[in-house]
Amino acid sequence: MPDAAAHDELPDSVLRVLQRLERITGRMPVARTVALIIAVGLLLTALTTAAVWWAERQRVHREFETAAARFQRLVQDRLDHRSVMVHQVASWAKEQTQAVSARPGMWSFEGVTVWPRPSLQVGPLAERLGVDEPQARAIAQCMGRWPVQQSALLCPMSLPGQAPPAWLLAERVQAPGSGWVTVPLRAEALLAMPPDEAVVDLKGELLDAAPTQAASALQSVHPLRVAGRQLTLRVSGEQLGGAWQDLVSRRAGMWIAAGAGMLFTLAALHGYLMLISTRRRAREMSRDMGAALQRTQSRNQAVMDTAPDAILMVDAVGKVQWCNQAVASIFGRTSEDLLDQHLQVVLPSLGQDTLDAWFATYGFSNRVIGHETTGRRNEDVLFPVAVSASRTEVDGAFIQTFIVRDTTDAKWAEQELTLRDRALASSADGVVIVSMTLPNQPMIYVNRAFESITGYEAHELLGLNSRIFQQDDTQQVGIALMREAIREGRSCQVVLRNYRKDGALFYNDLAISPVLSAEGVLTHYVGVTTDITDRIAGEQVLQLRTERLNAVFELSPDGFVVLDKRGEVSIVNPSFERMTGLLAADLVGHSLSAFEEQLMARCQASEVDAQTVAGLMAGVGDAEVGPSATRELLHMHTPGIRTLVRRVRHGGHDNETVMYFRDITHELEVDRMKSEFLAMAAHELRTPMVSIFGFTELLLKRPFNEERRNDMLSTIHRQASVLINLVNELLDLARIESRRGKDFQRERLQLQSLIDSTVQGLLVHNDPRKVECTLPAAPVWVDVDRQKLSLALTNVLSNAYKYSPQGGDIALDLVWRDRNERPECGIRITDQGLGMTPAQREKVFDRFFRADTSGNIPGTGLGMTIVKEILELHGGQASVTSELGVGTTVILWVPAAGMPAEPAAAAGLASLA
């Protein structure tokens, strides 16, 4: 049905008549309607024939005007028909958009095209309309310039001066829809003339201009209305010429009138049939649209029912008109229970005021998004929800839609995240999160402990790379390990040298762990940092102390064996290995009994009481062992004969047992030698003292003659001298051994002068022999104590005299040698005396040893001991070679300040070598 806007200029009475005719024909059968149209056509034909008969003179003109008017109506009907089609399709598109909230696609039907978008593209437009791109572009520009307020428009399809003319009829799809509905108006289609239209030759021409006066009697102009715009139909007729034509026209007037009536009847029948066809198409379209709408509603209902959020539609007062199935899972109520119930049943906060006030308070432009409130379940249990709502007015009524989402899980997750964030913030260890997806891998989170450790504040660190803490100290093993772990996407823990904001060094115990997305892509790294600067300092001190203790333990001359709390050997130092010959590799891990078994297998005997044995075998028990019970003497026979003292300490905070071994072989030997020395000293002192005491007692108790008396006094004097010499030598030896050369007054001396003064000062009773000295002319310099070296040389020369009683030469010369890459000069004294056996030569430096056991040769047996001590304290050495019955050679070696340059000295060195 044409829209009222298309007939704004028609009277209301005419419109009512047209509407009534349409209702009448719609209710009448088709055959009756056709018969009625034919009857009306015949009636009109008769009336026309009568009019022609009565107005023969005006026949041609009137015939022309009638044909022109009929032609104009035909063209107008065609234009109206296309306008009605366009308007109906536009109305359908609008209703379709409102019903399904979706925009229909582009489609065409019998020349009518629906364009879904307001802006038209030139390519599709040219293809649909069959025009070239310039024409399509002009059409698009025309439609784009048309005011939005005007729904229908008419744009020329042909360029200026192009024939035949054509137009494009278009109508906007009103809101909420959008787009255009178009149909082309081509002149050749609109001006198509039915056959036998009139006896005159009619030609029509459509003009896009205002109507003007006809140029001739057989030419008329008629206005046409389409889309609120006026076109001009110019109809031209060509009259038949010649006299015979007049005769024919007079005779054929009735036929012409009859033909005109038939033409009118056919036109009416054509219009009726077109109307019937349009109605059927409209019914089919309505049926299809209804089915499509039903399918769309079904799909929308399925989508809404599968939505996880509750969707409720309420009226203006807040009563529920429709809801989806999700309300059952969220509110515990079925959709049937909620129908016609007020919204406050499930959303208590919405019942405190009107919905208008609620939208005004929490919304904007009749929309509320994500308003947090509380919902009520069927058991009156309140829970947090997020409400989004919108309201739309349709036909004066409000449609209000509410979407409710249960945020219980979200709130719980938010609380969990808040709790974890607070836990991270209050952690004593620093926590840092680095993004691996952003450029330069910046830090995106640090906690307070991290700020405290580094000295930086959070806003100074976020967005920066963590290399800021390394400064120029990037060549670290930990950094290389961490980079390798990051490349491989795995966790690692390293210790780094980092620097605080003030430049202070701190040691960072950093543990990093990767964070992967659901697809397994590395997105972040979480680092936990601990400031271990104090621990590192303590470890360094402990390591230094441990190294010192280990050095003492390794270098100690005493042996140590440690047993752990299980009673198994855990530590053995090298000194114990040297003492016992037992290797640590063979002892570590063995029990105490196995250790004792191996140790006792190398002992000749042990001196220990029962309590000590019990303490040793008890291992790390609770028995307390006193100091007196922990001493044990072990007399070893393997790897050598020696005596060890063992002390044991049990317990302690670590419940370990420590055995201490000390080699006292030398101390025992010294004690033995001391005992022997005291015995020999007592014997040597006792002999002269007995003589002195005996002769003195005789002199006191008996009278003797003068000669006998003098002889006894001489014996007393001689024995007193021996006693004095013995005491002096004992004092010298004791002084030398106790002071260990600290009282030596070293000075650089010429060795030749010292030898000369010593030889010249030597006086041997009743022995005229002289020492034959062979000394180099070049001075030999030595750093010695003059008095002590002179004493040693005197003792050796004195022995050379005493042990060659039968005479023989005593020679003295100098020899050279290198010892430990150091030159030494030797004073060699050779005699031709008694000599010694090898056994005697081995004991020559023992205290109180004398090669002559007869007592005929005077001496204390301490001279060579003193010589040995003096030379060793000078860094030198004394050597003796002797052959029984041939003589003895003694060399006193002292360090020299330099080698001699004379050939003789060099020869002496060579001969010695």
Side-chain angles (χ1 to χ4, degrees), residues 94-327:
K94 173 184 176 183
E95 294 173 357
Q96 181 74 2
T97 304
Q98 290 177 344
V100 300
S101 300
R103 185 170 53 198
M106 183 179 70
W107 58 275
S108 296
F109 180 77
E110 292 189 0
V112 179
T113 303
V114 177
W115 304 86
R117 299 187 179 277
S119 59
L120 301 179
Q121 297 182 355
V122 174
L125 192 62
E127 180 181 358
R128 290 283 183 177
L129 300 179
V131 298
D132 55 11
E133 289 191 5
Q135 292 175 328
R137 188 175 294 107
I139 293 171
Q141 293 175 355
C142 174
M143 295 174 71
R145 294 192 301 269
W146 214 262
V148 178
Q149 296 79 7
Q150 187 169 353
S151 61
L153 60 93
L154 190 68
C155 291
M157 288 177 57
S158 57
L159 298 176
Q162 185 177 4
W167 293 267
L168 181 67
L169 176 61
E171 183 170 345
R172 297 182 188 272
V173 179
Q174 298 299 320
S178 63
W180 296 89
V181 180
T182 63
V183 63
L185 303 177
R186 304 185 187 276
E188 62 268 24
L190 296 173
L191 300 178
M193 298 288 291
D196 299 330
E197 180 71 24
V199 294
V200 292
D201 187 11
L202 293 180
K203 293 182 180 180
E205 184 180 1
L206 286 175
L207 300 175
D208 192 8
T212 59
Q213 294 297 326
S216 63
L218 296 180
Q219 188 180 49
S220 63
V221 291
H222 305 274
L224 300 174
R225 296 292 300 178
V226 57
R229 201 174 154 191
Q230 183 172 306
L231 297 177
T232 300
L233 172 64
R234 185 164 60 191
V235 181
S236 300
E238 186 174 350
Q239 187 177 3
L240 298 176
W244 64 272
Q245 294 178 352
D246 293 336
L247 294 174
V248 172
S249 64
R250 292 189 188 99
R251 294 175 181 175
M254 294 179 63
W255 297 104
I256 293 173
M262 292 300 294
L263 181 62
F264 178 79
T265 302
L266 292 175
L269 287 174
H270 176 71
Y272 176 72
L273 294 176
M274 289 293 294
L275 180 60
I276 293 298
S277 176
T278 302
R279 285 176 179 173
R280 289 180 177 178
R281 287 196 300 269
R283 290 191 188 101
E284 293 175 356
M285 187 179 298
S286 177
R287 186 169 56 252
D288 294 340
M289 291 173 60
L293 180 61
Q294 183 65 31
R295 290 194 299 271
T296 303
Q297 290 178 348
S298 299
R299 286 196 298 268
N300 291 342
Q301 182 67 33
V303 171
M304 291 182 180
D305 286 340
T306 57
D309 299 333
I311 303 175
L312 302 97
M313 298 181 67
V314 302
D315 57 14
V317 297
K319 290 187 176 181
V320 179
Q321 303 298 316
W322 176 90
C323 58
N324 66 345
Q325 298 297 326
V327 297

Side-chain angles (χ1 to χ4, degrees), residues 649-661:
R649 180 182 66 83
H650 296 297
H653 70 280
D654 51 4
N655 203 22
E656 291 183 339
T657 300
V658 179
M659 294 185 182
Y660 165 77
F661 295 86

